[in-house]
Amino acid sequence: DVKVTQSSRYLVKRTGEKVFLECVQDMDHENMFWYRQDPGLGLRLIYFSYDVKMKEKGDIPEGYSVSREKKERFSLILESASTNQTSMYLCASSSLRYEQYFGPGTRLTVT
Amino acid sequence: QKEVEQDPGPLSVPEGAIVSLNCTYSNSAFQYFMWYRQYSRKGPELLMYTYSSGNKEDGRFTAQVDKSSKYISLFIRDSQPSDSATYLCAMSTYGNNRLAFGKGNQVVVIP
């Protein structure tokens, strides 16, 4: 079974803090993705990576950066957290096939 | 026009009924189609994966793709309260690692 884990299930941060969300997959997948999910807006792609040290902007990259130093690990960084970044963050991975496998999600609250 | 349209619901059905969900899409190049199930406060889990047109059955679940009408469906037979979740459709074109998602359809199965 594919396993995608995320570092925290729930996180509370203050405005202006730097926030790190980490994702690890154990299936040697080439591709990894970060999404945020908000009521009424669905899943929106923030960034994705198709190889180590490679990254591509998704639909809403502003205010976020990513890092992929190892194949199994993909980090999402909020450089200076703001209240409008309060959301559910989901990591996913995929191989050369198309289906993506998701982690359990991190519910981030910025106060 | 959004790339993938999905009625958000909620859809309430009595236990044992057939649940019928669908998505329409605008991009005729989509070839790979997925259905995900997402329980509250959890990550989406892959339910069904189909390629091109036709039907696929897995237990109580049947996925249908009608490329001529740009329409995909998911049927759940003998629905159970444990089927209460949000169902998301997703699709992709050949060679594209990104998925286009519907916004999700909430289903409630009433005991």
Side-chain angles (χ1 to χ4, degrees), chain B residues 21-108:
Chain B
L21 304 171
N22 56 73
C23 289
T24 58
Y25 60 93
S26 57
N27 187 349
S28 57
F30 284 140
Q31 294 186 62
Y32 304 90
F33 303 93
M34 284 138 269
W35 285 96
Y36 287 85
R37 178 176 62 196
Q38 185 176 21
Y39 292 115
S40 181
R41 300 182 183 277
K42 298 284 177 66
E45 59 177 312
L46 182 67
L47 205 55
M48 300 285 281
Y49 173 83
T50 53
Y51 167 68
S52 196
S53 283
N55 291 2
K56 184 174 182 179
E57 196 171 309
D58 184 1
R60 296 184 296 112
F61 299 90
T62 300
Q64 285 185 354
V65 175
D66 182 349
K67 289 191 72 181
S68 61
S69 302
K70 296 191 194 128
Y71 188 92
I72 68 170
S73 301
L74 178 72
F75 300 97
I76 308 173
R77 290 183 299 280
D78 187 25
S79 58
Q80 305 294 309
S82 59
D83 295 326
S84 297
T86 296
Y87 292 81
L88 299 99
C89 62
M91 48 199 79
S92 185
T93 58
Y94 176 77
N96 187 353
N97 294 315
R98 293 180 58 159
L99 293 179
F101 285 91
K103 288 189 177 179
N105 191 331
Q106 185 184 2
V107 172
V108 178

Side-chain angles (χ1 to χ4, degrees), chain A residues 71-88:
Chain A
K71 190 174 185 180
E72 68 271 18
R73 198 176 296 266
F74 193 33
S75 300
L76 179 70
I77 303 143
L78 286 66
E79 297 290 343
S80 176
S82 64
T83 54
N84 62 13
Q85 292 178 309
T86 290
S87 186
M88 172 74 138

Side-chain angles (χ1 to χ4, degrees), chain B residues 2-23:
Chain B
K2 290 200 180 299
E3 220 174 13
V4 181
E5 299 271 8
Q6 186 177 10
D7 184 347
L11 176 67
S12 293
V13 299
E15 183 175 353
I18 294 175
V19 175
S20 174
L21 304 171
N22 56 73
C23 289

